[in-house]
Amino acid sequence: QVQLVESGGGFVQAGGSLRLSCAASGPTFSRYAMAWFRQAPGKEREFVGAISAMGWSGSSTYYADSVKGRFTISRDNAKNTLYLQMNSLKPEDTAVYYCAAVAMTWGTPRAPDEYDYWGQGTQVTVSS
């Protein structure tokens, strides 16, 4: 069983930055593919980015087109923590952000139903 706890959300003006963190429980964090999703009011949960489990050459990442070049996902396996660095934030980035995990040795799943574990979410609000 993996437990995920997000933090770092808040209120920021357009053009600003935030860094989200997701602390994971369990000794095998490096073997999990991890992802960030977001959900705005009245909208479906949307894929933001994913990072693969740690392989022999490191981890691979994949981003939604809407955040590519602005957001960076990373992981610190020694700290069991996933990060999402968000730069050049826009009002349309306003949403509750969730981290998710699945035991998978390779790949960067992009559909919510491919993930088994979820955090409780953290609110990000970007004002214009």
Side-chain angles (χ1 to χ4, degrees):
Q1 187 77 10
V2 174
Q3 292 185 326
L4 305 173
V5 179
E6 301 98 334
S7 61
F11 184 92
V12 65
Q13 290 188 332
S17 299
L18 281 175
R19 188 175 82 154
L20 305 183
S21 299
C22 173
S25 64
T28 58
F29 175 73
S30 63
R31 300 179 187 176
Y32 284 77
M34 305 291 296
W36 289 97
F37 290 81
R38 66 187 182 186
Q39 189 166 19
K43 295 188 176 181
E44 293 186 351
R45 193 162 294 192
E46 174 190 23
F47 172 78
V48 174
I51 187 167
S52 67
M54 182 63 72
W56 64 272
S57 61
S59 296
S60 60
T61 56
Y62 186 88
Y63 298 93
D65 287 343
S66 59
V67 306
K68 199 173 296 183
R70 300 188 298 122
F71 291 11
T72 302
I73 190 170
S74 62
R75 65 192 301 160
D76 185 335
N77 293 324
K79 296 182 178 180
N80 277 18
T81 303
L82 175 74
Y83 301 100
L84 182 67
Q85 178 66 45
M86 304 186 294
N87 299 327
S88 302
L89 282 161
K90 304 175 181 180
E92 51 263 44
D93 293 319
T94 295
V96 177
Y97 283 71
Y98 299 89
C99 67
V102 60
M104 180 177 288
T105 56
W106 62 273
T108 50
R110 299 150 206 175
D113 59 8
E114 294 184 273
Y115 288 86
D116 295 324
Y117 304 100
W118 291 84
Q120 83 290 348
T122 185
Q123 176 71 46
V124 171
T125 303
V126 184
S127 67
S128 57

